[in-house]
mmCIF file of all heavy atoms in Angstrom:
data_model
loop_
_atom_site.group_PDB
_atom_site.id
_atom_site.type_symbol
_atom_site.label_atom_id
_atom_site.label_comp_id
_atom_site.label_asym_id
_atom_site.label_seq_id
_atom_site.Cartn_x
_atom_site.Cartn_y
_atom_site.Cartn_z
ATOM 1 N N LYS V 898 61.495 -65.598 59.501
ATOM 2 C CA LYS V 898 60.906 -66.357 58.368
ATOM 3 C C LYS V 898 60.939 -67.910 58.601
ATOM 4 O O LYS V 898 60.138 -68.624 58.444
ATOM 5 C CB LYS V 898 61.636 -66.116 57.015
ATOM 6 C CG LYS V 898 61.129 -66.812 55.780
ATOM 7 C CD LYS V 898 59.691 -66.355 55.565
ATOM 8 C CE LYS V 898 59.069 -66.972 54.311
ATOM 9 N NZ LYS V 898 57.677 -66.571 54.094
ATOM 10 N N ILE V 899 62.111 -68.335 59.388
ATOM 11 C CA ILE V 899 62.189 -69.655 59.836
ATOM 12 C C ILE V 899 61.183 -70.003 60.806
ATOM 13 O O ILE V 899 60.528 -71.115 60.817
ATOM 14 C CB ILE V 899 63.701 -69.933 60.328
ATOM 15 C CG1 ILE V 899 64.637 -69.815 59.197
ATOM 16 C CG2 ILE V 899 63.744 -71.361 60.929
ATOM 17 C CD1 ILE V 899 66.166 -69.791 59.677
ATOM 18 N N LEU V 900 61.025 -69.169 61.879
ATOM 19 C CA LEU V 900 60.073 -69.433 62.958
ATOM 20 C C LEU V 900 58.682 -69.252 62.583
ATOM 21 O O LEU V 900 57.823 -70.027 63.089
ATOM 22 C CB LEU V 900 60.429 -68.472 64.090
ATOM 23 C CG LEU V 900 61.787 -68.619 64.792
ATOM 24 C CD1 LEU V 900 62.019 -67.557 65.951
ATOM 25 C CD2 LEU V 900 62.052 -70.027 65.332
ATOM 26 N N TYR V 901 58.352 -68.343 61.672
ATOM 27 C CA TYR V 901 56.989 -67.964 61.244
ATOM 28 C C TYR V 901 56.831 -67.959 59.652
ATOM 29 O O TYR V 901 56.610 -66.857 59.140
ATOM 30 C CB TYR V 901 56.460 -66.775 61.894
ATOM 31 C CG TYR V 901 56.818 -66.617 63.366
ATOM 32 C CD1 TYR V 901 57.765 -65.842 63.912
ATOM 33 C CD2 TYR V 901 55.837 -67.256 64.233
ATOM 34 C CE1 TYR V 901 57.972 -65.718 65.176
ATOM 35 C CE2 TYR V 901 56.124 -67.130 65.584
ATOM 36 C CZ TYR V 901 57.127 -66.375 66.210
ATOM 37 O OH TYR V 901 57.310 -66.204 67.456
ATOM 38 N N PRO V 902 56.980 -69.116 59.094
ATOM 39 C CA PRO V 902 57.039 -69.041 57.532
ATOM 40 C C PRO V 902 55.821 -68.528 56.905
ATOM 41 O O PRO V 902 55.863 -67.996 55.767
ATOM 42 C CB PRO V 902 57.437 -70.385 57.163
ATOM 43 C CG PRO V 902 57.004 -71.294 58.388
ATOM 44 C CD PRO V 902 57.290 -70.371 59.522
ATOM 45 N N ASP V 903 54.645 -68.647 57.589
ATOM 46 C CA ASP V 903 53.330 -68.251 57.095
ATOM 47 C C ASP V 903 52.874 -66.864 57.637
ATOM 48 O O ASP V 903 51.799 -66.516 57.447
ATOM 49 C CB ASP V 903 52.304 -69.341 57.244
ATOM 50 C CG ASP V 903 51.229 -69.205 56.201
ATOM 51 O OD1 ASP V 903 51.630 -68.873 54.960
ATOM 52 O OD2 ASP V 903 50.102 -69.553 56.436
ATOM 53 N N LYS V 904 53.779 -66.184 58.378
ATOM 54 C CA LYS V 904 53.404 -64.936 58.963
ATOM 55 C C LYS V 904 54.349 -63.837 58.450
ATOM 56 O O LYS V 904 54.056 -62.596 58.601
ATOM 57 C CB LYS V 904 53.504 -65.029 60.570
ATOM 58 C CG LYS V 904 52.386 -65.781 61.122
ATOM 59 C CD LYS V 904 52.562 -65.828 62.659
ATOM 60 C CE LYS V 904 52.274 -64.499 63.262
ATOM 61 N NZ LYS V 904 52.391 -64.536 64.867
ATOM 62 N N ILE V 905 55.491 -64.193 57.980
ATOM 63 C CA ILE V 905 56.469 -63.278 57.609
ATOM 64 C C ILE V 905 56.649 -63.466 56.043
ATOM 65 O O ILE V 905 57.100 -64.501 55.647
ATOM 66 C CB ILE V 905 57.811 -63.459 58.282
ATOM 67 C CG1 ILE V 905 57.682 -63.289 59.802
ATOM 68 C CG2 ILE V 905 58.922 -62.524 57.778
ATOM 69 C CD1 ILE V 905 57.301 -61.978 60.214
ATOM 70 N N PHE V 906 56.505 -62.526 55.186
ATOM 71 C CA PHE V 906 56.623 -62.571 53.788
ATOM 72 C C PHE V 906 57.705 -61.615 53.384
ATOM 73 O O PHE V 906 57.658 -60.396 53.738
ATOM 74 C CB PHE V 906 55.351 -62.228 53.075
ATOM 75 C CG PHE V 906 54.178 -63.239 53.388
ATOM 76 C CD1 PHE V 906 53.368 -63.029 54.543
ATOM 77 C CD2 PHE V 906 54.044 -64.370 52.783
ATOM 78 C CE1 PHE V 906 52.393 -63.867 54.852
ATOM 79 C CE2 PHE V 906 53.098 -65.301 53.046
ATOM 80 C CZ PHE V 906 52.092 -64.979 54.110
ATOM 81 N N LEU V 907 58.736 -62.108 52.657
ATOM 82 C CA LEU V 907 59.884 -61.253 52.238
ATOM 83 C C LEU V 907 59.919 -61.132 50.720
ATOM 84 O O LEU V 907 59.956 -62.094 49.961
ATOM 85 C CB LEU V 907 61.109 -61.964 52.786
ATOM 86 C CG LEU V 907 61.280 -62.153 54.249
ATOM 87 C CD1 LEU V 907 62.592 -62.807 54.527
ATOM 88 C CD2 LEU V 907 61.172 -60.934 55.123
ATOM 89 N N LEU V 908 59.771 -59.894 50.273
ATOM 90 C CA LEU V 908 59.999 -59.564 48.743
ATOM 91 C C LEU V 908 61.435 -59.094 48.531
ATOM 92 O O LEU V 908 62.147 -58.723 49.396
ATOM 93 C CB LEU V 908 58.994 -58.610 48.346
ATOM 94 C CG LEU V 908 57.527 -58.910 48.470
ATOM 95 C CD1 LEU V 908 56.620 -57.879 47.824
ATOM 96 C CD2 LEU V 908 57.101 -60.311 47.891
ATOM 97 N N ARG V 909 61.767 -59.197 47.269
ATOM 98 C CA ARG V 909 63.097 -58.818 46.792
ATOM 99 C C ARG V 909 63.125 -57.276 46.369
ATOM 100 O O ARG V 909 62.204 -56.931 45.517
ATOM 101 C CB ARG V 909 63.552 -59.695 45.675
ATOM 102 C CG ARG V 909 65.090 -59.459 45.371
ATOM 103 C CD ARG V 909 65.462 -60.486 44.273
ATOM 104 N NE ARG V 909 66.904 -60.536 44.115
ATOM 105 C CZ ARG V 909 67.479 -61.269 43.224
ATOM 106 N NH1 ARG V 909 66.856 -62.133 42.482
ATOM 107 N NH2 ARG V 909 68.897 -61.212 43.048
ATOM 108 N N GLY V 910 64.003 -56.479 46.891
ATOM 109 C CA GLY V 910 64.117 -55.158 46.433
ATOM 110 C C GLY V 910 65.370 -55.085 45.461
ATOM 111 O O GLY V 910 66.100 -56.010 45.303
ATOM 112 N N ASN V 911 65.619 -53.858 44.942
ATOM 113 C CA ASN V 911 66.736 -53.767 44.146
ATOM 114 C C ASN V 911 68.083 -53.848 44.750
ATOM 115 O O ASN V 911 69.167 -54.158 44.137
ATOM 116 C CB ASN V 911 66.737 -52.327 43.317
ATOM 117 C CG ASN V 911 66.747 -51.159 44.176
ATOM 118 O OD1 ASN V 911 65.897 -51.051 45.063
ATOM 119 N ND2 ASN V 911 67.668 -50.235 43.930
ATOM 120 N N HIS V 912 68.128 -53.706 46.090
ATOM 121 C CA HIS V 912 69.389 -53.813 46.818
ATOM 122 C C HIS V 912 69.690 -55.306 47.206
ATOM 123 O O HIS V 912 70.614 -55.517 47.816
ATOM 124 C CB HIS V 912 69.378 -52.956 48.071
ATOM 125 C CG HIS V 912 69.679 -51.498 47.794
ATOM 126 N ND1 HIS V 912 70.860 -50.884 47.943
ATOM 127 C CD2 HIS V 912 68.827 -50.543 47.223
ATOM 128 C CE1 HIS V 912 70.697 -49.657 47.448
ATOM 129 N NE2 HIS V 912 69.575 -49.394 47.079
ATOM 130 N N GLU V 913 68.689 -56.196 46.964
ATOM 131 C CA GLU V 913 68.962 -57.589 47.186
ATOM 132 C C GLU V 913 69.573 -58.130 45.856
ATOM 133 O O GLU V 913 69.248 -59.360 45.469
ATOM 134 C CB GLU V 913 67.710 -58.325 47.634
ATOM 135 C CG GLU V 913 67.390 -58.139 49.115
ATOM 136 C CD GLU V 913 66.938 -56.708 49.361
ATOM 137 O OE1 GLU V 913 65.946 -56.232 48.807
ATOM 138 O OE2 GLU V 913 67.636 -55.966 50.239
ATOM 139 N N PHE V 914 70.406 -57.422 45.226
ATOM 140 C CA PHE V 914 71.125 -57.936 43.911
ATOM 141 C C PHE V 914 72.586 -57.602 44.284
ATOM 142 O O PHE V 914 72.853 -56.591 44.691
ATOM 143 C CB PHE V 914 70.629 -57.117 42.746
ATOM 144 C CG PHE V 914 69.266 -57.607 42.236
ATOM 145 C CD1 PHE V 914 68.178 -57.294 42.817
ATOM 146 C CD2 PHE V 914 69.236 -58.440 41.135
ATOM 147 C CE1 PHE V 914 66.907 -57.750 42.322
ATOM 148 C CE2 PHE V 914 68.083 -58.954 40.597
ATOM 149 C CZ PHE V 914 66.850 -58.599 41.229
ATOM 150 N N ILE V 915 73.356 -58.548 43.945
ATOM 151 C CA ILE V 915 74.833 -58.439 44.312
ATOM 152 C C ILE V 915 75.358 -57.255 43.492
ATOM 153 O O ILE V 915 76.391 -56.686 43.968
ATOM 154 C CB ILE V 915 75.592 -59.759 43.975
ATOM 155 C CG1 ILE V 915 76.961 -59.844 44.637
ATOM 156 C CG2 ILE V 915 75.705 -60.079 42.466
ATOM 157 C CD1 ILE V 915 77.601 -61.225 44.797
ATOM 158 N N ALA V 916 74.944 -56.967 42.319
ATOM 159 C CA ALA V 916 75.449 -55.850 41.499
ATOM 160 C C ALA V 916 75.213 -54.452 42.200
ATOM 161 O O ALA V 916 75.946 -53.584 42.066
ATOM 162 C CB ALA V 916 74.910 -55.766 40.119
ATOM 163 N N VAL V 917 74.195 -54.516 43.130
ATOM 164 C CA VAL V 917 73.792 -53.143 43.851
ATOM 165 C C VAL V 917 74.521 -53.143 45.167
ATOM 166 O O VAL V 917 75.136 -52.149 45.559
ATOM 167 C CB VAL V 917 72.390 -53.053 43.946
ATOM 168 C CG1 VAL V 917 71.997 -51.730 44.690
ATOM 169 C CG2 VAL V 917 71.664 -52.951 42.512
ATOM 170 N N ASN V 918 74.404 -54.324 45.904
ATOM 171 C CA ASN V 918 74.917 -54.271 47.301
ATOM 172 C C ASN V 918 76.469 -54.341 47.470
ATOM 173 O O ASN V 918 76.932 -54.405 48.519
ATOM 174 C CB ASN V 918 74.180 -55.184 48.279
ATOM 175 C CG ASN V 918 74.380 -56.681 47.822
ATOM 176 O OD1 ASN V 918 75.397 -57.205 47.565
ATOM 177 N ND2 ASN V 918 73.172 -57.400 47.696
ATOM 178 N N THR V 919 77.139 -54.475 46.260
ATOM 179 C CA THR V 919 78.569 -54.450 46.162
ATOM 180 C C THR V 919 79.000 -52.870 46.183
ATOM 181 O O THR V 919 80.141 -52.638 46.503
ATOM 182 C CB THR V 919 79.258 -54.984 45.116
ATOM 183 O OG1 THR V 919 78.633 -54.592 43.812
ATOM 184 C CG2 THR V 919 79.128 -56.612 45.138
ATOM 185 N N ILE V 920 77.983 -52.079 46.001
ATOM 186 C CA ILE V 920 78.346 -50.596 45.824
ATOM 187 C C ILE V 920 77.876 -49.855 47.008
ATOM 188 O O ILE V 920 78.600 -48.900 47.417
ATOM 189 C CB ILE V 920 77.650 -50.141 44.546
ATOM 190 C CG1 ILE V 920 78.148 -50.744 43.231
ATOM 191 C CG2 ILE V 920 77.796 -48.624 44.391
ATOM 192 C CD1 ILE V 920 77.366 -50.504 42.004
ATOM 193 N N TYR V 921 76.754 -50.110 47.533
ATOM 194 C CA TYR V 921 76.164 -49.303 48.528
ATOM 195 C C TYR V 921 76.401 -49.646 50.071
ATOM 196 O O TYR V 921 75.560 -49.185 50.888
ATOM 197 C CB TYR V 921 74.698 -49.063 48.254
ATOM 198 C CG TYR V 921 74.437 -48.374 46.985
ATOM 199 C CD1 TYR V 921 74.202 -48.977 45.765
ATOM 200 C CD2 TYR V 921 74.510 -46.960 46.985
ATOM 201 C CE1 TYR V 921 74.007 -48.315 44.620
ATOM 202 C CE2 TYR V 921 74.236 -46.282 45.785
ATOM 203 C CZ TYR V 921 73.988 -46.951 44.573
ATOM 204 O OH TYR V 921 73.815 -46.168 43.472
ATOM 205 N N GLY V 922 77.342 -50.513 50.296
ATOM 206 C CA GLY V 922 77.697 -50.631 51.733
ATOM 207 C C GLY V 922 77.563 -52.132 52.375
ATOM 208 O O GLY V 922 78.346 -52.360 53.275
ATOM 209 N N PHE V 923 76.801 -52.967 51.705
ATOM 210 C CA PHE V 923 76.576 -54.270 52.370
ATOM 211 C C PHE V 923 77.921 -55.028 52.491
ATOM 212 O O PHE V 923 78.332 -55.723 53.426
ATOM 213 C CB PHE V 923 75.451 -55.040 51.905
ATOM 214 C CG PHE V 923 75.137 -56.362 52.595
ATOM 215 C CD1 PHE V 923 75.065 -56.317 53.832
ATOM 216 C CD2 PHE V 923 75.011 -57.510 51.831
ATOM 217 C CE1 PHE V 923 74.786 -57.579 54.564
ATOM 218 C CE2 PHE V 923 74.655 -58.677 52.399
ATOM 219 C CZ PHE V 923 74.603 -58.813 53.825
#
């Protein structure tokens, strides 16, 4: 994303929430 900000698009999933990724391993 830093190198190619207009070529890489990142959306948020439900695991990109701290309430979820404290449970499932991250």
Side-chain angles (χ1 to χ4, degrees):
K898 186 63 181 175
I899 294 168
L900 297 176
Y901 308 104
D903 207 34
K904 290 178 66 176
I905 303 293
F906 299 93
L907 304 176
L908 299 185
R909 191 176 188 181
N911 61 303
H912 283 260
E913 281 69 61
F914 283 80
I915 199 166
V917 176
N918 61 48
T919 54
I920 299 172
Y921 291 97
F923 185 47

